[in-house]
Amino acid sequence: MRKISIFGATGSIGQNTIDLIRRAPDSYDVVALTGGANIERLAQDAIALRADIAVTAYDGHLPALQAALQGSGVEAAAGQTALLEAAARPADWIMSAIVGAAGLAPGLEALKHGTTLALANKESLVCAGQLLLQTAERYGARLLPVDSEHSAVFQGLVGEDIAAVERIIITASGGAFRDWPLEDLPKATLAQASSHPNWDMGQRITIDSASMFNKALEVIETKEYFGVRPEQIEVLVHPESLVHALVGFNDGAIMAHLGAADMRHAIGYALHWPERQSLPVERLDLARIGQLNFRAPDPARYPALRLANEVMARGGMMGAAFNAAKEQALDDFIAGRIRFTDMAVVVETVLEQMSGESDLIDAEMTLDNVGRVDHLARKQAAHAAAERIG
Ligand code: NDP
């Protein structure tokens, strides 16, 4: 039996992971499940999967979790220290599916214990890619990509030499507003931005898909994970979301990865890697689909992609500043404080301000220093957002 833990078990990726685990209950021994505010879901799944421990990230939810787990034999815990302790519990495979920079510390802790970390939490690679990769190497741990695009590239590279790769093309659906008139974008509502044309995902990543901030994070994730140069990475708008990524080699060949828009494919690939096992995902009928469309992203519609290039060009811990500013701007949009198009303006303002903070941005990449950059960038973003309102 493989020992596994799922961080962010109550979210969209977490639930898709649990769906796969439930189909083969005798194969897995569940160590820890973690969640945030959704205590009912966390407790139900922890009991059903006979987890050793269930952890909520929030101290205030501990009494509710304890009550829900009473008599079940599942241990209850809460707070940041408890999350780190859960990450330190021996496990063969850990899913990192907390949303946002909050996923970084538990992921890093898990790597220090030599596990295989399936990384859905792209934000940790954007904030501290070098730190994660070095930690994995030092402790003999392994990082496997779970983002569908990065899983697709990873699969396209099996048996290949990265030195023979000319370019990596990741696709984007174009999000909820890909066909809207540009002048209507400032009026986009939260409900409109929270509805994705192809994928069923958590609310934050869905809005990030509409703004293309999600793809901007993924471009940086590609650079960090595969170690390619920024100019080797391209984004293509592909409205059908069936080709997830393409790898172009130095002989002109392009390997494309196709699959249904179902995260259980990428999760299952990471779960069974290096083997392939049958997965409960739709098989594509290309004759019925008939057509696949591709177009270049419109820079005026998606300023986030330009900002990602600026972040990579600047280097240091600018990724952490970018992600934190984006998270704060997203909070402000969700709370109705700023407009959809203000998010990019806020993030750009923070990048300009942070580029002057060389002592901080170019300091050694440690968890503490990433935290400092994150803290300052959120403060600056909140300030920039307040100026947009006032
Ligand atoms: P969700 O919002 O659906 O779930 C997020 C999970 O993280 C929940 O379990 C939530 O708990 C928990 N959580 C939220 N805030 C905190 C916190 N501060 N500390 C600890 N735990 C917290 O997100 P998704 O599943 O959509 O995304 C998870 C990650 O996977 C993200 O990094 C995303 O970018 C990435 N990803 C997602 C894809 C998808 O299809 N959804 C595709 C590719 C990547 P609770 O809900 O109980 O409050």
Side-chain angles (χ1 to χ4, degrees), residues 175-177 180 184-197 203 206-207 210 333 340:
F177 308 134
W180 275 37
D184 288 350
L185 288 183
K187 288 180 265 167
T189 66
L190 177 61
Q192 288 165 331
S194 303
S195 144
H196 196 283
Q203 187 191 35
T206 302
I207 302 170
F333 173 66
F340 179 76

Side-chain angles (χ1 to χ4, degrees), residues 52-377:
D52 296 342
I53 185 168
V55 184
T56 161
Y58 309 119
D59 293 312
H61 288 305
L62 183 59
L65 184 61
Q66 283 168 329
L69 292 175
Q70 202 173 22
S72 69
V74 180
E75 205 181 319
Q80 292 310 307
T81 310
L83 277 181
L84 296 183
E85 280 168 5
R89 291 195 178 205
D92 303 305
W93 189 90
I94 297 183
M95 167 54 75
S96 165
I98 289 174
V99 65
L104 174 59
L108 206 53
E109 185 65 25
L111 289 175
K112 286 183 184 163
H113 292 81
T115 190
T116 292
L117 189 69
L119 195 71
N121 177 255
K122 66 192 82 183
E123 296 90 342
S124 40
L125 267 178
V126 172
C127 293
Q130 197 192 323
L131 180 61
L132 277 179
L133 294 168
Q134 282 172 357
T135 305
E137 196 179 339
R138 182 165 165 205
Y139 292 94
R142 190 180 294 279
L143 266 176
L144 292 176
V146 172
D147 232 342
S148 57
E149 298 76 2
H150 304 75
S151 173
V153 174
F154 188 77
Q155 294 178 49
L157 287 173
V158 170
E160 305 285 355
D161 182 354
I162 190 80
V165 171
E166 263 178 7
R167 56 190 180 141
I168 290 178
I169 304 165
I170 58 175
T171 60
S173 69
F177 308 134
R178 68 182 170 216
D179 298 319
W180 275 37
L182 275 185
E183 60 274 18
D184 288 350
L185 288 183
K187 288 180 265 167
T189 66
L190 177 61
Q192 288 165 331
S194 303
S195 144
H196 196 283
N198 305 337
W199 294 92
D200 180 13
M201 310 185 284
Q203 187 191 35
R204 296 182 75 87
I205 184 173
T206 302
I207 302 170
D208 284 349
S209 296
S211 63
M212 216 46 118
F213 268 112
N214 179 48
K215 209 52 53 181
L217 295 177
E218 289 177 6
V219 166
I220 302 172
E221 182 186 8
T222 302
K223 171 186 169 285
E224 296 295 333
Y225 188 83
F226 297 105
V228 291
R229 296 186 308 280
E231 57 274 21
Q232 290 177 281
I233 307 167
E234 295 171 27
V235 174
L236 262 187
V237 174
H238 166 49
E240 292 86 1
S241 293
L242 297 177
V243 177
H244 303 305
L246 308 98
V247 184
F249 294 93
N250 56 8
D251 60 355
I254 293 180
M255 306 286 277
H257 178 285
L258 283 81
D262 184 332
M263 282 309 294
R264 291 177 304 176
H265 177 83
I267 296 168
Y269 186 78
L271 183 62
H272 301 304
W273 183 88
E275 292 168 16
R276 283 190 189 269
Q277 288 191 16
S278 178
L279 292 172
V281 299
E282 187 195 333
R283 272 48 176 172
L284 295 185
D285 178 347
L286 289 174
R288 189 180 54 78
I289 293 161
Q291 259 194 13
L292 296 172
N293 293 281
F294 301 93
R295 60 183 190 239
D298 172 3
R301 186 178 299 275
Y302 303 122
L305 294 177
R306 171 176 55 79
L307 298 179
N309 282 325
E310 288 175 13
V311 168
M312 292 187 293
R314 177 59 182 81
M317 282 182 283
M318 204 52 132
F322 179 61
N323 179 68
K326 191 281 297 174
E327 287 192 22
Q328 180 63 49
L330 181 56
D331 285 345
D332 285 330
F333 173 66
I334 291 173
R337 289 190 284 269
I338 59 173
R339 295 173 306 172
F340 179 76
T341 43
D342 287 335
M343 288 190 286
V345 179
V346 165
V347 174
E348 185 157 18
T349 305
V350 173
L351 292 184
E352 278 163 16
Q353 290 173 0
M354 290 300 272
S355 63
E357 301 281 345
S358 298
D359 287 354
L360 197 53
I361 293 295
D362 299 319
E364 187 191 350
M365 189 182 279
T366 62
L367 193 55
D368 281 351
N369 283 339
V370 169
R372 282 188 193 99
V373 171
D374 180 285
H375 181 74
L376 181 60

